Amino acid sequence: MDYALKIEHLGFAYGDGHVALRDVSLAVQPGEKVALVGPNGAGKSTLMLHMNGILQPGSGSVTICGLLVDDKALGKVRARVGLVFQDPDDQLFSPTVFDDVAFGPIYQGFSEKEVRARVDRALAAVQMCDYISRVSHHLSVGEKKRIAIATVLSMDPEILVLDEPTAGLDPRARRGLITLLRTLPQTMLISTHDLRMVAELLPRTVVMDHGAVVADRPTGEVLADAALLEAHGLEL
Amino acid sequence: MHVHFLDPYKPRASLIHAFDPRVKLVLAVAFILAVALTPIGAWPVYVLLFAVILSVVMLSELGVGYVLKRSALALPFVLAAVPILFTANGVPLLTVPVGPWTLTITVEGVQRFVTILLKSWLSIQMAIVLAASTPFPQLLVAMRAVRMPRLIVAIVGLMWRYLFVMVDEVLRLLRARTARSGDPGLPGVRIGGSLAWRARVTGGMAGNLLVRSFDRGERIYAAMAARGYDGEVRAFPLPPIPMGQRLILGVGLAVLLLLVLLGYLV
């Protein structure tokens, strides 16, 4: 079985000794849409940073599309996994929308024609084509979130990893984003507190708490398990 | 993601750590002043001053190695004193031809240069011990207690507070860039983009950081003003300095004064 993402017995502690992940195992098949839920500090973000090789396993292993994540494979892994950070201001570091969306493809060494084509395609996918020459700094949060997703779509990733995509959005922007995520074909792993979005969008849910996976079941079952939600500080 | 490496405070249960921050601040500044006032080439006094700082370091339990390692930070600044080697008038020691010019190193120049080197090294060690043995907020309170202008204390305090926020922001920007620095694995394609393009990206990041820092500054000021900020660092009043520490303060200042006087006698 070829997994898009396979994590085996992953353990990780930060430099100050704080243990963030304990024996986490998770396998995701191509095209699967998975929610990652759990209270603040459960280790969701730390886990996501491992999927892109930004953090390296203390123990255990992370495999992306058959590639073991280590120093040698970093570049290839980053080309396959599009990581979208929670705060779009972290994601958008260039002066204009074009520069930001073009960063990934230019870095990967594509020709100017190909870069422009990819930027156009990525912005079309998030319905932000008119924003190509705008200054990122002046956009609204909802617009920034869409651009942030475009910055990784332009890299043609196989897996999208999103950290709290709906946090801080007004209802209309949230609805727009959910509709957008529904149209994207990539394998998806979304860390979120928005369980209503999970119910709508993601068939499988992984619950984390205290750095460990405490449940990994179909979303319907997890959301129906009041005791589980209560025990891990989740609310529908 | 947070930065801790900048914070120089090292908790220990030493005598120096237990001192009142006001006493430490005054003695540290007096030491640096004494080092600065000692005349050029008063080598025996430098040795005595080094003995003082060495005993303080040992009493602080920070580790002589730790302080020496950190004091190496001061070395690059000594480069600014290099011209003195050539500009001081005196007995020529060595002549270096540089193209059409000749540069002459004088004995006096070398003396002055070595003096500056030693003085900055001694001073930075005391500053290191002060910063490593006193939590920063206490240092701010001590600065106010010895009547340092409150504007300066406020600037130092806010700089300290937001240095960490800014470094965190830089780390997040760098992380976002790293996350998108992928390699498609196509044969014959060089990744990384051109040097000029990378320089432009980095320039964009620096610009972004500047704009965000301005914005953040405005938000912070609004939040501070909303809570009645008037530029004063407020803290519970410090307890009076115990008699023993007052004595040490007096003795310390007297010793430093004697050392400076000794420098003019030898």
Side-chain angles (χ1 to χ4, degrees):
Chain A
M1 186 76 229
D2 262 353
Y3 290 103
L5 164 73
K6 194 166 168 71
I7 296 171
E8 287 175 301
H9 306 294
L10 176 64
F12 180 79
Y14 281 100
D16 59 2
H18 169 68
V19 177
L21 296 176
R22 304 162 207 270
D23 195 31
V24 171
S25 293
L26 182 66
V28 178
Q29 287 173 23
E32 234 186 325
K33 320 266 179 195
V34 182
L36 193 58
V37 302
N40 291 335
K44 303 189 299 288
S45 299
T46 307
L47 183 61
M48 298 189 130
L49 291 176
H50 276 89
M51 294 175 194
N52 208 305
I54 294 198
L55 296 179
Q56 304 236 352
S59 60
S61 66
V62 180
T63 314
I64 304 286
C65 308
L67 280 167
L68 182 72
V69 180
D70 59 12
D71 284 332
K72 277 174 292 178
L74 279 185
K76 291 193 171 105
V77 165
R78 285 173 185 157
R80 285 176 172 73
V81 178
L83 183 58
V84 182
F85 294 94
Q86 177 179 353
D87 184 350
D89 277 328
D90 296 338
Q91 187 94 14
L92 306 177
F93 50 71
S94 307
T96 69
V97 168
F98 174 82
D99 291 324
D100 250 320
V101 181
F103 175 87
I106 294 180
Y107 186 92
Q108 294 186 0
F110 290 109
S111 68
E112 190 183 331
K113 198 169 142 239
E114 172 69 14
V115 170
R116 287 190 185 282
R118 279 168 172 250
V119 171
D120 288 342
R121 234 181 309 151
L123 286 175
V126 297
Q127 292 141 32
M128 297 292 279
C129 289
D130 298 341
Y131 285 71
I132 190 160
S133 51
R134 292 280 292 273
V135 178
S136 314
H137 184 67
H138 293 148
L139 306 179
S140 75
V141 184
E143 290 165 339
K144 282 183 191 167
K145 289 253 181 185
R146 286 172 171 268
I147 302 297
I149 293 173
T151 63
V152 299
L153 287 182
S154 64
M155 298 169 71
D156 267 344
E158 290 172 40
I159 307 176
L160 279 180
V161 178
L162 298 102
D163 198 356
E164 307 266 9
T166 55
L169 295 184
D170 65 34
R172 187 191 299 164
R174 173 179 172 275
R175 178 52 48 201
L177 193 82
I178 292 176
T179 314
L180 162 66
L181 291 178
R182 201 193 299 281
T183 61
L184 299 175
Q186 285 86 355
T187 308
M188 229 177 254
L189 197 88
I190 302 183
S191 146
T192 186
H193 298 298
D194 184 350
L195 295 189
R196 284 184 300 141
M197 173 189 72
V198 172
E200 259 184 70
L201 200 62
L202 308 161
R204 176 178 165 196
T205 298
V206 174
V207 183
M208 284 188 77
D209 204 351
H210 294 113
V213 172
V214 293
D216 181 356
R217 286 187 281 170
T219 298
E221 275 182 34
V222 170
L223 296 186
D225 189 342
L228 178 74
L229 295 183
E230 167 82 32
H232 301 292
L234 298 167
E235 262 179 25
L236 196 54
Chain B
M1 185 162 45
H2 297 290
V3 195
H4 297 294
F5 62 86
L6 279 173
D7 194 348
Y9 178 61
K10 294 250 173 254
R12 297 277 186 284
S14 82
L15 189 66
I16 303 287
H17 283 69
F19 262 32
D20 188 285
R22 287 164 290 186
V23 175
K24 275 192 277 192
L25 180 66
V26 170
L27 281 177
V29 172
F31 178 84
I32 292 168
L33 202 64
V35 170
L37 289 176
T38 307
I40 294 159
W43 314 118
V45 180
Y46 298 153
V47 174
L48 291 174
L49 285 167
F50 180 66
V52 170
I53 180 71
L54 197 63
S55 1
V56 172
V57 170
M58 284 161 83
L59 278 176
S60 73
E61 292 173 24
L62 290 165
V64 177
Y66 168 81
V67 175
L68 285 183
K69 212 160 72 192
R70 287 202 71 125
S71 68
L73 281 176
L75 291 180
F77 295 99
V78 173
L79 285 180
V82 167
I84 287 189
L85 282 174
F86 308 101
T87 54
N89 293 320
V91 189
L93 188 69
L94 187 69
T95 307
V96 194
V98 181
W101 301 284
T102 50
L103 292 175
T104 311
I105 297 180
T106 60
V107 176
E108 280 77 1
V110 172
Q111 259 190 13
R112 280 193 196 186
F113 178 74
V114 175
T115 300
I116 290 175
L117 187 79
L118 285 175
K119 283 184 170 188
S120 18
W121 184 60
L122 289 170
S123 307
I124 190 102
Q125 288 192 71
M126 186 53 92
I128 289 166
V129 174
L130 177 68
S133 69
T134 322
F136 198 76
Q138 279 194 27
L139 215 47
L140 290 178
V141 175
M143 285 178 192
R144 271 310 281 152
V146 299
R147 303 273 178 280
M148 217 154 140
R150 71 176 181 186
L151 186 64
I152 293 185
V153 178
I155 290 173
V156 172
L158 289 174
M159 230 167 74
W160 178 254
R161 167 72 181 79
Y162 287 101
L163 193 63
F164 289 88
V165 177
M166 253 181 87
V167 174
D168 279 351
E169 188 134 19
V170 172
L171 287 181
R172 285 198 303 270
L173 282 174
L174 292 176
R175 190 173 66 178
R177 186 177 67 174
T178 310
R180 278 189 271 153
S181 300
D183 176 358
L186 303 174
V189 175
R190 205 180 61 83
I191 62 157
S194 68
L195 188 64
W197 173 73
R198 272 188 291 186
R200 237 187 45 217
V201 170
T202 310
M205 289 168 82
N208 250 312
L209 191 67
L210 186 73
V211 173
R212 284 187 212 174
S213 302
F214 272 131
D215 281 358
R216 193 191 290 276
E218 277 175 19
R219 287 198 304 272
I220 291 167
Y221 181 72
M224 283 172 23
R227 281 181 286 160
Y229 178 76
D230 59 1
E232 182 63 278
V233 183
R234 284 192 174 72
F236 295 121
L238 290 170
I241 301 175
M243 210 50 221
Q245 294 197 22
R246 282 171 194 260
L247 199 66
I248 289 172
L249 180 62
V251 171
L253 290 176
V255 167
L256 289 172
L257 185 66
L258 282 176
L259 283 176
V260 175
L261 291 178
L262 189 65
Y264 285 91
L265 292 177
V266 290

